[in-house]
Amino acid sequence: MSATRILTVADVHQHRALLAELVGAAERVRPAAVAFVGDLLDSNGSAPGMAGLAECAEQVANLATPELIFVRGNHEEDNWPPFASLLRGRGRKIVTLHGECHRVGATGVLGFPCFEGYEDPFLEGREALSADTMEWLPGVIDEHGTAARTIWLMHEPPTGTGRPSRRTSSGRRRCVGFSRASS
């Protein structure tokens, strides 16, 4: 079985230099998909060195990959619908993940919701999810199988995980949400 290459990127914030690096990386790697893990866009307006939405969409649309996957960050807000429209207008199919799993070859890509910022524009008519991952994650895992061949993408740690983490009896840190979801 051949490996599935998925290039992940986060926190580009429409910076031209980072977009140029991304274009170069996609040319070198030729991934099956590029997964944007939040904040490709920037909701704070423009600054020197930042691409506008149209320029950013053009760079992303021309990436050397057949699939574009997006997980929302806290900066994909009201700027998301016009950006997504620009991508689709350039003939690119985009996959937006919000507590959903998408297959790239034999690999599952699970996108967690981001609860910071204004998520409604990114949902594109889907239902908002609970911040309690235990209300929706077990159903996604049941539907798509175990996480053995699944990449979990999130812009921020799921609610109830990470800081502060619990220590096990052996003194190791564990991420509470993930250990509960796997039981």
Side-chain angles (χ1 to χ4, degrees):
M1 176 189 325
S2 64
T4 300
R5 291 183 176 184
I6 300 173
L7 179 61
T8 62
V9 62
D11 293 301
V12 174
H13 290 277
Q14 293 176 241
H15 286 281
R16 284 188 181 103
L18 297 176
L19 286 165
E21 287 184 39
L22 174 60
V23 168
E27 283 291 329
R28 286 188 306 280
V29 175
R30 297 288 178 165
V34 173
F36 295 91
V37 192
D39 292 358
L40 167 65
L41 304 180
D42 194 287
S43 61
N44 292 326
S46 62
M50 285 180 61
L53 278 183
E55 181 184 347
C56 184
E58 183 177 341
Q59 294 288 331
V60 171
N62 291 327
L63 289 174
T65 185
E67 290 204 55
L68 300 172
I69 301 169
F70 295 87
V71 174
R72 192 184 84 80
N74 53 301
H75 282 269
E76 280 79 25
E77 295 184 334
D78 287 329
N79 53 9
W80 175 256
F83 176 78
S85 179
L86 286 165
L87 278 180
R88 290 177 179 124
R90 287 174 169 77
R92 290 305 299 253
K93 176 183 176 261
I94 61 175
V95 176
T96 58
L97 298 177
H98 179 77
E100 299 151 317
C101 193
H102 172 73
R103 292 271 171 215
V104 179
T107 303
V109 179
L110 172 61
F112 277 67
C114 175
F115 294 104
E116 289 186 35
Y118 180 52
E119 71 179 346
D120 288 358
F122 186 82
L123 296 179
E124 298 178 323
R126 290 175 289 193
E127 292 289 320
L129 295 175
S130 168
D132 181 357
T133 57
M134 295 313 298
E135 290 186 22
W136 57 267
L137 183 58
V140 174
I141 291 171
D142 288 347
E143 183 179 342
H144 296 280
T146 64
R149 299 184 77 80
T150 303
I151 300 168
W152 292 21
L153 301 176
M154 60 203 71
H155 187 68
E156 62 186 11
T159 302
T161 63
R163 301 177 199 112
S165 58
R166 290 190 193 159
R167 291 204 180 263
T168 64
S169 58
S170 66
R172 290 187 177 168
R173 291 186 186 274
R174 76 173 185 166
C175 188
V176 177
F178 294 155
S179 61
R180 287 189 343 208
S182 64
S183 56

